[in-house]
Amino acid sequence: MSIRNAVIPVAGLGTRLLPATKSQPKEMLPVGKKPIVQYIVEELSLCGMDRFLFVTGRGKSSIEDHFDIDADLIRSLRESGKEDLLSELEFERLGANFFYTRQHQQRGLGDAISYAENFSGTEPFVVALGDSIIGRHEPSRIVERLIEAFEKSGAICAIAVEEVPLDQVSMYGIVKPASDAEVFEVLDLIEKPARSEAPSNWAIAGRYVFSPALFDAIRRTGVDHRGEIQLTNAIRLLLAEGGKVVAVRLPSHEKRYDIGNFESYFETFVEFALTDPVYGEKLRQYARGLLGENS
Ligand code: G1P
């Protein structure tokens, strides 16, 4: 596995999750026992990444604190014999390097990724959106498969995709597949199309691998009707210029949890809590009681 660099954009304002996100980033909201960003770093570490760049914004400094090695906390947990809690902070032992940079203005996902140019230099890199967890208690290996597809096919970009209901295509970037294989070539892609314009119901699922050619494409991508530079449009430009783009389907057991609004946040939290290996059983009993069942 040759790719070590991962970029995690976390600059979004999280307005759909107010007031929870008034003074804390949405990416730090807990899902079960861990904040969302910790799931993402653990997933990427398992796939070989050990350098992480967070593209942050105003009010996001608690992400930096979370990944900081807290020597006092470690010492006090050790002295009081709470080794089990130490293992919950396993990311502190991953040997990972964390970097942070700030997006100055809310100018879209493409603009956020452009801040990674100095970080990743001339090497390919992974992008993982900071508000999506993939896989439940078992982290997803999708990034490993993306890297494999990227390297094997000589693509300029590899994208994870998932099938979404047709009435939700306007919430995602949608790709036009060349075949119905597990790994397929992308013929076109369009950001948040109307249902009538969507080339399929295969949605971009928040994990990507890019060649550094992306940065130049972002520079040449215009802003959309909202004044934002869309990552999808930069990929579309690479494709139009003859670059190969491949997509890898998320397997059905690796569900994606997109924490963008309260409905999806509550669903995700409840699912993770109810299936927690330690607390899940008691919680399921409690929930059954709440729901008025006898079993
Ligand atoms: C972004 C991408 C979109 C992708 C989605 C996945 O949109 O622009 O292509 O399908 O993430 O969650 P956002 O959700 O930031 O509006």
Side-chain angles (χ1 to χ4, degrees), residues 145-146 148-151 153-161 175 183-186 209 239 243-248:
R145 290 195 295 276
L146 283 178
E148 196 188 323
F150 176 85
E151 288 175 346
S153 63
I156 209 155
C157 163
I159 310 173
V161 292
V175 302
V183 178
F184 59 78
E185 216 177 310
V186 172
V209 178
L239 192 66
K244 189 173 185 177
V245 177
V246 291
V248 180

Side-chain angles (χ1 to χ4, degrees), residues 109 129 131-132 171-173 191-192 203-206 208 230 232 256 258:
L109 185 56
L129 301 192
D131 56 5
S132 300
M171 295 160 63
Y172 297 94
E191 182 67 9
K192 305 197 171 86
I204 298 174
Y208 314 76
Q230 295 303 336
T232 304
R256 189 175 73 95
D258 182 339

Side-chain angles (χ1 to χ4, degrees), residues 86-105:
L86 263 182
S87 69
E88 305 267 342
L89 298 170
E90 197 58 48
F91 62 88
E92 294 198 333
R93 302 179 192 172
L94 293 173
N97 294 291
F98 297 99
F99 303 86
Y100 302 87
T101 187
R102 249 182 207 216
Q103 187 183 21
H104 305 306
Q105 279 177 303

Side-chain angles (χ1 to χ4, degrees), residues 10-15 21-28 54-64 101-106 115:
V10 288
L13 294 176
T15 37
T21 51
K22 169 81 172 40
S23 65
Q24 69 169 336
K26 67 172 172 178
E27 298 82 5
M28 281 299 290
F54 288 92
V55 183
T56 72
R58 201 169 285 277
K60 302 277 181 171
S61 47
S62 61
I63 296 177
E64 198 169 335
T101 187
R102 249 182 207 216
Q103 187 183 21
H104 305 306
Q105 279 177 303
Q106 291 285 323
Y115 284 75

